[in-house]
């Protein structure tokens, strides 16, 4: 027996030799545990970033609107001549006589507890005014959100799958044209043509507001839907193009993938390849846009609500700016920004579940 073939004795310090049935050294956590830990770190980072963004919005909302010219006390007195003592009483009542740093600390302290202050013009808590107008905004912008998201995804998918054709050119051209039109201008144009009436075209829809009044039950629902048509059409026309273009671009990037060639080689029809393979992967970038738009849905569309006199958060914000009603403006601005930040954060947290490559 040669020296190479002879087994050398193992010293106690070296320990036993691992055989086929002997467990090897510890390799640490398994792949699933490492993935979970990475995702939790990713979630913690996104939540911390959202908290910092909310704090920045809180600070910005306080200082930004104090640059607006105008005296809230003069508005509260209705322009009537009042004595200096009465003005001092108003300033003391709303804390306007305090130093700016004291107003800021009081505002931040109350905001963190959900108290956004008291409106100057309505003499009511800001949070109550937001709660009162929010359902009207959700009805308008929520309806428009569902319609323009579905329309953008469907038309974007068709344009990408038949890119270069007449339908693709018409879709993208119309989407770009409408997307570049200011929403308030389009709203005014629709009011002139379809509400007031031009030439042989009669006025078919109300010029503004949410209801005519004096109706109940089904008649009231039909009346609200009648008032809803023009503002919803305005929002859908302006907003659907963004979803269409993002969906089209993402699907065009996917169409050159090898997995689609393999699917076709297996004999799958084009419609099946598109529906089962290409579209689900292409919708990942669109999902981020959908959540951003969902945040904007909560925030409302100020110009459209103002043009159509819709009693929502956007119209309330415009009304508060004209005073200026500082607590109401600050509260609405913070609410709008918080809605967008929360929805963006939610999109970031869901994205790794849709695409495991994210967050590793």
């Amino acid at each position: 027996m040669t020296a190479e073939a002879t087994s050398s004795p193992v010293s106690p310090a070296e320990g036993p030799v691992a055989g086929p049935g002997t467990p090897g050294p510890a390799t640490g956590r398994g792949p699933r545990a490492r993935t979970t830990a990475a995702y939790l770190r990713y979630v913690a980072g996104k939540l911390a970033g959202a908290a910092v963004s909310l704090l920045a919005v809180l600070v910005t909302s306080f200082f930004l609107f104090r640059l607006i010219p105008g005296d809230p006390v003069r508005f509260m007195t209705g322009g009537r001549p009042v004595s200096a003592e009465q003005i001092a009483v108003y300033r003391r009542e709303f804390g306007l006589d305090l130093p700016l740093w004291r107003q800021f600390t009081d505002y931040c302290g109350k905001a963190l507890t959900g108290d956004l202050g008291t409106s100057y013009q309505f003499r009511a808590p800001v949070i109550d005014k937001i709660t009162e107008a929010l359902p009207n905004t959700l009805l308008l912008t929520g309806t428009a959100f569902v319609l323009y998201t579905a329309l953008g995804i469907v038309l974007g998918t068709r344009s990408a799958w038949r890119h270069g054709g007449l339908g693709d050119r018409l879709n993208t051209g119309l989407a770009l044209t409408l997307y570049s039109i200011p929403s308030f201008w389009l709203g005014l144009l629709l009011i002139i043509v379809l509400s007031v009436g031009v030439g042989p075209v009669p006025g078919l829809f109300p010029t503004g507001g949410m209801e005519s009044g004096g109706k109940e039950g089904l008649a009231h629902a039909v009346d609200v839907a009648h008032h809803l048509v023009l503002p919803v059409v305005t929002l859908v026309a302006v907003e659907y193009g963004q979803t269409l273009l993002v969906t089209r671009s993402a699907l065009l990037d996917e169409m050159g993938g090898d997995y689609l060639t393999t699917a076709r080689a297996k004999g799958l029809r084009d419609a099946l390849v598109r529906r089962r393979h290409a579209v689900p992967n292409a919708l990942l970038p669109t999902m981020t846009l959908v959540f951003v738009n969902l945040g904007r849905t909560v925030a409302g569309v100020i110009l459209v609500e103002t043009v159509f006199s819709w009693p929502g958060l956007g119209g309330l914000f415009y009304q508060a700016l004209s005073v200026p009603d500082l607590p109401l403006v600050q509260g609405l601005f913070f609410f709008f920004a918080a809605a967008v930040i929360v929805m963006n954060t939610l999109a970031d947290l869901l994205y790794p579940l849709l695409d495991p490559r994210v967050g590793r």
Side-chain angles (χ1 to χ4, degrees):
M1 187 178 293
T2 63
E4 289 79 7
T6 304
S7 299
S8 59
V10 179
S11 63
E14 294 174 339
V17 178
T22 306
T27 57
R29 296 171 299 176
R32 180 173 297 180
R34 288 195 296 270
T35 301
T36 302
Y39 180 68
L40 291 178
R41 288 194 298 270
Y42 175 81
V43 169
K46 292 299 180 182
L47 292 178
V52 172
S53 298
L54 286 173
L55 182 60
V57 168
L58 194 65
V59 175
T60 303
S61 65
F62 178 83
F63 290 103
L64 177 64
F65 296 108
R66 274 161 175 74
L67 301 176
I68 301 175
D71 187 355
V73 175
R74 292 297 179 187
F75 173 83
M76 287 184 281
T77 60
R80 300 185 304 272
V82 294
S83 65
E85 290 77 10
Q86 290 175 307
I87 292 178
V89 169
Y90 278 117
R91 291 190 178 279
R92 192 180 311 112
E93 179 182 354
F94 292 99
L96 295 174
D97 60 329
L98 298 174
L100 190 60
W101 67 268
R102 179 67 181 279
Q103 295 182 41
F104 174 68
T105 54
D106 289 349
Y107 168 68
C108 290
K110 291 179 179 179
L112 293 176
T113 62
D115 182 4
L116 298 177
T118 301
S119 168
Y120 295 159
Q121 55 182 324
F122 297 106
R123 304 297 180 89
V126 170
I127 193 66
D128 290 349
K129 299 304 296 181
I130 292 176
T131 304
E132 178 184 330
L134 180 59
N136 299 338
T137 289
L138 292 180
L139 175 63
L140 170 60
T141 55
T143 303
F145 167 78
V146 172
L147 293 176
Y148 72 66
T149 299
L151 185 65
I153 291 175
V154 171
L155 294 182
T157 301
R158 290 181 176 274
S159 293
W161 208 252
R162 298 178 175 85
H163 66 283
L166 178 60
D168 177 32
R169 293 196 296 271
L170 290 177
N171 277 333
T172 54
L174 181 61
L176 286 171
T177 300
L178 292 175
Y179 185 60
S180 63
I181 294 177
S183 58
F184 71 90
W185 184 85
L186 181 60
L188 291 173
L189 188 63
L190 290 178
I191 289 175
I192 293 172
V193 176
L194 298 178
S195 293
V196 179
V198 174
V201 179
L204 302 174
F205 300 98
T207 56
M210 184 176 174
E211 57 184 346
S212 301
K215 299 180 180 179
E216 297 179 357
L218 181 60
H220 177 261
V222 172
D223 183 42
V224 172
H226 193 211
H227 285 75
L228 196 63
V229 172
L230 289 187
V232 166
V233 168
T234 302
L235 289 175
V236 171
V238 172
E239 297 291 340
Y240 92 96
Q242 187 179 19
T243 306
L244 182 151
L245 296 173
V246 170
T247 303
R248 178 181 181 276
S249 176
L251 187 54
L252 285 176
D253 290 340
E254 293 292 331
M255 285 175 60
D258 294 336
Y259 67 97
L260 295 184
T261 304
T262 303
R264 291 190 186 95
K266 291 180 179 180
L268 294 180
R269 293 179 290 108
D270 263 6
L272 203 58
V273 172
R274 177 175 69 245
R275 186 171 65 251
R276 288 188 179 180
H277 299 281
V279 173
N281 287 324
L283 285 181
L284 291 176
T286 308
M287 288 302 297
T288 302
L289 178 63
V290 167
F291 276 94
V292 172
N293 288 337
L294 190 58
R296 293 174 56 207
T297 297
V298 177
V301 182
I302 297 174
L303 293 177
V304 172
E305 289 192 358
T306 302
V307 167
F308 288 97
S309 303
W310 190 265
L313 294 177
L316 188 64
F317 186 76
Y318 178 81
Q319 186 178 354
L321 275 176
S322 62
V323 174
D325 188 342
L326 293 179
L328 187 54
V329 170
Q330 291 169 179
L332 286 168
F333 181 81
F334 179 74
F335 184 78
F336 292 165
V340 175
I341 291 172
V342 168
M343 288 302 163
N344 284 354
T345 304
L346 185 59
D348 289 337
L349 298 184
L350 291 179
Y351 211 91
L353 303 179
L354 301 174
D355 187 352
R357 295 170 296 178
V358 178
R360 288 185 176 181

